Amino acid sequence: SVLVAEDNLVNQVFIKEILEEMKVAYTIVSNGREAVDAVQEKEFDMIIMDCLMPEMDGFEATVAICELKDIGEIKDVPICALTANAMKGDREKCLDAGMDDYLTKPVRKKELKEKVYALIKGEKVQSTVLDSIRAEILFPETLFAVAKDATREADTNVVSIHAPSQQELQDDVLDQEAVENARSILKEKYDEMVHVYIDNSWERLDEIIAAVNVRDAEGVIRPAHTLKSTSKQMGALKLSEVAKEVELMAKAIVMSGEDVEKGMESILNGVQEIKQILSETKRAFEDMAA
């Protein structure tokens, strides 16, 4: 029996499909607080814990669960972190919180199966993905302001010398290997999840804009992080990369005392790029389905 703590619907569905294929019983909760409550109500053989969730994040939830284990209120249960971060030291942060191992997003069927089998058997599968990645923060030089009444659709009045073909657009914004991986997991649910993903992406963009408008760098991080991971999961790698840059810029403001106004101007540039690429991504998925 596996407890899955993950707040994003797209990621929930991917994990659910893989666990069902494995004939594994599961319970899904949407934040760390619900995860702490769940382990006190039922015994689980393993917990898959997203790191960045509302109300209580995965690190706080893990600490609380480990305290319950220490005082004997619940049995010992392995916790596998689920993270889309590629920051140096993230692996150590997971282990310091009391997690036993970790998985990186996007969720891959083979990797998730290996972790479930290994952790339930009491073994550890050593991962080196995060340790091999060096995160770089790039601040764009050109700054844009986001108009209050800006629409979500890309400007259709721009004159282009060469209008990209359907295939060129797909190749530019979608990674076909990742798309096929998503199809193999979701099967007949794939088309429905594309619509859910696009809708959720616009919602995450709205959250980023709302946080920028009040100069809340911390409020930018979670929706940008979610947009990064779900886009990568669905194969929209171009959008994932831009969302990653926005997330890192917001973290730089929070962690290093970067000038808020200067940092926000850079994030605004990223927001404009996200809008354009999200419209292109929507069109690419529609063309692929046609």
Side-chain angles (χ1 to χ4, degrees), residues 213-229:
N213 286 341
V214 296
R215 299 299 186 260
D216 178 13
E218 185 74 40
V220 171
I221 295 174
R222 192 172 71 86
H225 176 93
T226 301
L227 182 58
K228 173 186 70 176
S229 67

Side-chain angles (χ1 to χ4, degrees), residues 8 28 35 65-66 74 93 109 149 184 193 210 253 257 260 262:
N8 185 267
I28 297 178
I65 290 170
C66 287
I74 63 172
K93 187 176 179 181
K109 186 187 300 185
D149 59 347
S184 70
M193 286 310 302
I253 297 173
V260 174
K262 179 182 177 182

Side-chain angles (χ1 to χ4, degrees), residues 8-159:
N8 185 267
L9 177 61
V10 174
N11 291 330
Q12 286 179 1
V13 172
F14 271 88
I15 296 171
K16 171 178 171 290
E17 291 299 313
I18 296 170
L19 293 179
E20 287 184 355
E21 184 176 302
M22 296 173 69
K23 311 297 183 185
V24 171
Y26 60 86
T27 298
I28 297 178
V29 296
S30 298
N31 60 60
R33 182 77 59 194
E34 292 177 358
V36 176
D37 292 341
V39 298
Q40 295 177 85
E41 297 171 0
K42 178 182 176 181
E43 286 191 359
F44 294 95
D45 299 301
M46 176 184 174
I47 301 171
I48 298 173
M49 183 78 75
D50 186 31
C51 292
L52 208 58
M53 293 182 289
E55 295 190 39
M56 176 185 282
D57 66 27
F59 300 111
E60 295 171 313
T62 297
V63 170
I65 290 170
C66 287
E67 289 176 352
L68 291 172
K69 290 191 289 185
D70 291 341
I71 63 177
E73 286 204 12
I74 63 172
K75 73 168 189 176
D76 190 24
V77 54
I79 302 174
C80 184
L82 185 62
T83 177
N85 280 338
M87 300 284 286
K88 185 178 180 180
D90 279 332
R91 178 178 182 274
E92 288 73 18
K93 187 176 179 181
C94 292
L95 298 179
D96 288 345
M99 297 172 178
D100 299 274
D101 212 324
Y102 69 103
L103 271 166
T104 55
K105 299 177 185 178
V107 176
R108 301 297 185 191
K109 186 187 300 185
K110 180 176 181 291
E111 294 168 353
L112 179 57
K113 286 184 175 182
E114 286 177 350
K115 296 293 185 181
V116 171
Y117 288 135
L119 287 174
I120 288 179
K121 287 167 59 180
E123 302 170 357
K124 287 191 178 182
V125 179
Q126 196 66 23
S127 299
T128 58
V129 177
L130 296 186
D131 298 329
S132 67
I133 300 175
R134 179 172 60 89
E136 297 179 356
I137 301 174
L138 303 176
F139 291 92
E141 296 179 359
T142 307
L143 307 178
F144 293 89
V146 178
K148 291 183 180 179
D149 59 347
T151 61
R152 288 176 165 180
E153 296 300 324
D155 187 358
T156 57
N157 297 320
V158 176
V159 177

Side-chain angles (χ1 to χ4, degrees), residues 203-275:
E203 291 172 3
R204 301 295 81 75
L205 179 57
D206 286 343
E207 290 174 4
I208 294 171
I209 292 173
V212 170
N213 286 341
V214 296
R215 299 299 186 260
D216 178 13
E218 185 74 40
V220 171
I221 295 174
R222 192 172 71 86
H225 176 93
T226 301
L227 182 58
K228 173 186 70 176
S229 67
T230 55
S231 295
K232 196 169 185 180
Q233 186 76 65
M234 294 299 293
L237 296 192
K238 186 175 181 180
L239 183 56
S240 178
E241 285 301 313
V242 179
K244 175 182 175 180
E245 290 180 13
V246 169
E247 178 192 9
L248 293 176
M249 287 188 281
K251 284 184 175 180
I253 297 173
V254 173
M255 296 173 63
S256 63
E258 180 75 31
D259 179 79
V260 174
E261 288 304 316
K262 179 182 177 182
M264 285 297 172
E265 287 178 344
S266 298
I267 290 175
L268 285 172
N269 181 67
V271 168
Q272 288 292 80
E273 193 169 359
I274 287 174
K275 281 186 174 183

